[in-house]
Amino acid sequence: ARTVQCSTCHTVTKLYSLVDIVRGANRIIHGFQQLLRQHQPQYQYHEQQQQQQMMAQPPSRLLEPLPSPFGKKRAVLCGVNYKGKSYSLKGCISDAKSMRSFLVQQMGFPIDSILMLTEDEASPQRIPTKRNIRKAMRWLVEGNRAMDSLVFHFSARGLSARLTLLVYNGDEIDGQDEALCPLDHETEGKIIDDEINRILVRPLVHGAKLHAVIDACNSGTVLDLPFVCRMERNGSYEWEDHRSVRAYKGTDGGAAFCFSACDDDETSGYTPVLTGKNTGAMTYSFITAVKTAGPAPTYGHLLNLMCSAIREAQSRLAFNGDYTSSDASAEPLLTSSDEFDLYATKFVL
């Protein structure tokens, strides 16, 4: 039968045999093959053009992989002078440049694995805006693995929640959140410690290590790490437990350490000792301590050297009237994702 009619609606439907279906499919396939043969040179031309364009375009530095046979070494260095503002700073860009030289020359970081964000950078992606700093922080920890050594350095302004309009969520022992101020913080807002912890700390997997050096005011717990080290001048110390029942602030098995310029309620200073220009006291003390400590010092030895370098610089420059700080007693503060023995654990960057 070639047709069939419905007994209810009387609709006539044409029937096809299996042979007809195969013949029709063969005709369709043959037509496509002819079409492809006709346009194949044009397709090849467009494909070659696309490949050439992709090769000509430089890869995004925020996304490109940074392989290393012994674990990646990456760093994000931010320096903001707030040029032209009433609250401008003098040495933050110099801090970032000094840290880059130190990481490359002393610590073996590949120059291509260091992402610089300062007002002097030519690329719009390298200006230390809130959006770019967020991108850079995500790039730093993206795909982190065991044996990765990551560094985050920030030299600029920092604020505590009592000085800003931040909404406190109840996860701080002192009742205040801390924040970093990007270049466009007046319009885009600050980067608060809760977000910094979520981006930089939480993703760290077992075996990965992050060291943050924060040269800013009110920066003691700006990474929201659970443990704060309180060290006396005689070298004795104790850990304060800042863990919150409201939110987990640790890592995903990795280790995070933060050297801050001062406590949450203190302000940091700057000194022209390191480069002949105004330089952050925290950046100066960190670089000086690591250089003079010898190979693989302990965290306790390093922290003592940093505090000694600050005190020495304060005494020498105060005598000359060059030291600038509204809190001359401020000393570096160490926070960590875990408690550990300061004098038994080696500092390895």
Side-chain angles (χ1 to χ4, degrees):
R2 291 291 184 179
T3 58
V4 63
Q5 185 177 30
C6 177
S7 60
T8 303
C9 66
H10 306 293
T11 300
V12 176
T13 302
K14 189 175 182 180
L15 302 179
Y16 295 92
S17 67
L18 184 59
V19 176
D20 293 330
I21 295 174
V22 172
R23 287 174 179 171
N26 287 336
R27 285 196 295 269
I28 294 174
I29 293 173
H30 181 67
F32 274 120
Q33 289 176 340
Q34 287 184 326
L35 187 63
L36 287 173
R37 281 195 294 269
Q38 292 174 2
H39 294 278
Q40 188 174 13
Q42 184 178 0
Y43 291 152
Q44 290 177 341
Y45 172 75
H46 288 302
E47 185 177 354
Q48 290 174 354
Q49 274 194 326
Q50 290 176 354
Q51 290 177 349
Q52 291 174 356
Q53 290 175 357
M54 290 175 64
M55 293 176 64
Q57 293 175 353
S60 174
R61 289 293 299 276
L62 294 178
L63 298 176
E64 66 181 9
L66 300 170
S68 172
F70 300 105
K72 297 183 296 294
K73 285 191 172 187
R74 294 193 193 189
V76 169
L77 313 179
C78 303
V80 193
N81 280 351
Y82 311 98
K83 296 178 180 179
K85 300 291 185 179
S86 59
Y87 49 83
S88 63
L89 299 175
K90 298 180 181 179
C92 297
I93 295 177
S94 296
D95 287 344
K97 293 178 179 179
S98 297
M99 184 63 73
R100 178 176 59 184
S101 298
F102 164 73
L103 291 176
V104 172
Q105 297 172 10
Q106 304 291 327
M107 296 290 106
F109 275 63
I111 188 67
D112 292 338
S113 73
I114 297 177
L115 189 58
M116 287 276 291
L117 281 77
T118 73
E119 293 142 284
D120 288 350
E121 303 302 311
S123 169
Q125 286 190 335
R126 303 297 182 272
I127 302 300
T129 62
K130 183 176 182 178
R131 181 172 182 268
N132 287 343
I133 294 175
R134 279 172 163 174
K135 279 186 176 181
M137 290 193 298
R138 293 190 184 98
W139 168 84
L140 183 63
V141 298
E142 182 180 1
N144 70 93
R145 295 174 296 178
M147 298 182 67
D148 284 3
S149 179
L150 312 175
V151 173
F152 177 70
H153 173 254
F154 184 88
S155 180
R157 289 198 173 274
L159 295 175
S160 64
R162 65 182 176 184
L163 301 178
T164 69
L165 298 178
L166 300 178
V167 178
Y168 174 59
N169 60 8
D171 64 340
E172 300 275 354
I173 288 181
D174 62 359
Q176 298 173 11
D177 280 315
E178 286 68 49
L180 301 179
C181 299
L183 180 63
D184 56 352
H185 69 95
E186 290 180 327
T187 57
E188 301 301 319
K190 288 78 177 171
I191 306 176
I192 66 170
D193 51 7
D194 296 335
E195 181 179 6
I196 298 169
N197 181 275
R198 185 171 62 252
I199 296 177
L200 282 182
V201 177
R202 305 275 187 88
L204 294 172
V205 301
H206 179 73
K209 188 181 295 183
L210 168 73
H211 285 93
V213 180
I214 309 298
D215 204 340
C217 299
N218 310 110
S219 58
T221 62
V222 77
L223 258 66
D224 251 2
L225 295 174
F227 297 97
V228 178
C229 179
R230 300 294 182 185
M231 177 173 281
E232 302 293 335
R233 289 207 169 201
N234 62 6
S236 62
Y237 69 93
E238 63 178 3
W239 288 102
E240 285 183 1
D241 190 342
H242 282 225
R243 285 177 292 185
S244 170
V245 296
R246 292 178 177 267
Y248 177 69
K249 298 294 186 176
T251 68
D252 191 21
F257 309 91
C258 180
F259 293 97
S260 300
C262 56
D263 211 337
D264 292 338
D265 59 349
E266 295 177 330
T267 55
S268 59
Y270 53 90
T271 166
V273 171
L274 186 61
T275 60
K277 302 177 181 179
N278 287 303
T279 304
M282 176 63 208
T283 304
Y284 160 74
S285 67
F286 178 79
I287 293 176
T288 301
V290 177
K291 283 183 176 180
T292 58
T298 65
Y299 282 87
H301 182 41
L302 187 64
L303 192 57
N304 276 304
L305 286 175
M306 291 171 64
C307 293
S308 297
I310 291 288
R311 294 169 195 150
E312 181 183 350
Q314 287 173 349
S315 299
R316 186 166 64 253
L317 295 174
F319 180 78
N320 297 328
D322 293 331
Y323 184 76
T324 302
S325 174
S326 56
D327 194 335
S329 63
E331 293 185 356
L333 183 71
L334 173 66
T335 58
S336 173
S337 55
D338 295 285
E339 292 180 287
F340 63 94
D341 187 341
L342 254 62
Y343 294 104
T345 305
K346 300 291 186 179
F347 169 82
V348 180
L349 202 58

